[in-house]
Amino acid sequence: MENDTIRFACNGCGICCKGRLIPLTLDEARQWLQRGHEVAVVLEAFDETTWSSEPRQFAHSAQRAVAVTSGDAQIRVVAVLAGNALTQCRNLGDDGRCGIYEERPLVCRIYPMEINPLITLRPADKVCPPEVWEAGEVLFTDRVVDPILADQIERSRQADRDDAQAKIALCEAMGMNVAAWKGNALAVYLPDREQLAEAIIRYDRAPVAPKGLDWKVRVETPALAQRLRQAGVALDDQRSTGYIFQGL
Ligand code: SF4
Ligand code: SF4
């Protein structure tokens, strides 16, 4: 088993706190907004054809998604709420330390470990400097070794499942109804902080199920656009959009 052993010792460099979006549970997003920070909304769509050779990946993703109607097609949409750290996280201090260390989100506690059980941890895929993989505690063998870390990963997965309906209902209430196609691009909304906070408060007072209607998909890859159009998926072809479209 030693060949599969991955050791890790975080050096506190803070690279993972910069240049990215920080996925948040719905409860963490409430706290993030209350601290006065922005929360982005990333929307991804997929269907059964997305993982034709990997049905376990479809099953995993479907648990975090909501079935919606797009044109004449049924697709699934995942909404990810994410702290905006595209420059750097607002909680990162000048001393390089996390200013909310005791209350930091689950994903910050879990990184660099993977949350998706079907993705293998590969140090080369992570932003951590190479030397942190050369010593330290055993992070991973054929499984997560630390029971606290394993519990955090399971709580993150459970929150993804528990929050899925509420997040899609929030998106619908705020008119965020265009997703990118999984693996092809990201559609990133940057809603007004106060409007998103108010929408969450309204939802908390009177939770509603998503309607699941009138969703669209943004695609700029001709072959994929043709395939989705043939499947009846409604594509968003507006020149001016309320979201950032980022090809992968
Ligand atoms: S909350 Fe803390 S640990 Fe997480 S990204 Fe921000 S500064 Fe880094
Ligand atoms: S990038 Fe890696 S080594 Fe640096 S603070 Fe983040 S987890 Fe630790």
Side-chain angles (χ1 to χ4, degrees):
M1 191 54 63
E2 188 61 26
N3 286 342
D4 296 330
T5 296
I6 295 178
R7 293 183 178 275
F8 175 73
C10 176
N11 67 1
C13 66
I15 295 172
C16 58
C17 309
K18 299 173 184 171
R20 58 183 49 226
L21 294 169
I22 310 291
L24 303 170
T25 67
L26 181 54
D27 200 40
E28 289 167 350
R30 289 185 185 95
Q31 296 168 36
W32 204 268
L33 292 163
Q34 282 166 7
R35 289 190 187 99
H37 303 334
E38 291 179 350
V39 171
V41 180
V42 184
L43 291 172
E44 278 189 319
F46 61 93
D47 66 9
E48 283 82 351
T49 65
T50 308
W51 294 278
S52 50
S53 62
E54 185 43 282
R56 288 183 311 155
Q57 185 62 60
F58 175 77
H60 168 73
S61 296
Q63 289 182 318
R64 326 169 50 220
V66 172
V68 302
T69 299
S70 175
D72 297 325
Q74 287 288 307
I75 59 172
R76 318 264 176 156
V77 176
V78 176
V80 177
L81 304 180
N84 185 348
L86 290 173
T87 305
Q88 73 168 44
C89 180
R90 293 271 306 274
N91 298 305
L92 187 64
D94 293 340
D95 58 358
R97 293 176 183 272
C98 175
I100 58 163
Y101 189 78
E102 295 301 327
E103 292 97 40
R104 69 197 188 287
L106 275 173
V107 72
C108 302
R109 299 167 193 260
I110 293 168
Y111 194 87
M113 198 53 221
E114 298 289 353
I115 293 172
N116 184 328
L118 301 172
I119 296 179
T120 304
L121 173 64
R122 288 196 184 87
D125 295 342
K126 302 296 172 178
V127 298
C128 308
E131 63 271 17
V132 302
W133 302 99
E134 291 167 4
E137 299 292 320
V138 174
L139 181 66
F140 189 79
T141 55
D142 58 341
R143 61 190 166 78
V144 177
V145 174
D146 180 351
I148 294 174
L149 177 59
D151 176 66
Q152 290 165 345
I153 292 170
E154 188 43 48
R155 283 196 284 135
S156 176
R157 291 175 185 160
Q158 189 61 47
D160 278 349
R161 298 188 283 262
D162 291 346
D163 296 345
Q165 298 274 334
K167 290 188 291 187
I168 293 297
L170 281 167
C171 290
E172 291 180 348
M174 296 190 70
M176 299 186 284
N177 68 337
V178 179
W181 199 250
K182 192 164 183 62
N184 177 256
L186 297 174
V188 183
Y189 286 86
L190 298 173
D192 176 80
R193 187 187 68 78
E194 287 187 11
Q195 286 179 9
L196 179 57
E198 285 166 10
I200 294 175
I201 290 169
R202 276 197 301 276
Y203 177 86
D204 289 342
R205 285 188 186 136
V208 290
K211 293 188 180 74
L213 300 173
D214 300 329
W215 281 79
K216 290 186 175 174
V217 174
R218 181 82 181 196
V219 178
E220 293 187 355
T221 307
L224 178 59
Q226 185 180 7
R227 180 168 80 73
L228 295 180
R229 211 176 276 117
Q230 284 172 348
V233 175
L235 301 185
D236 184 38
D237 53 10
Q238 303 289 316
R239 282 180 175 226
S240 166
T241 68
Y243 55 88
I244 299 166
F245 182 80
Q246 178 66 53
L248 297 175

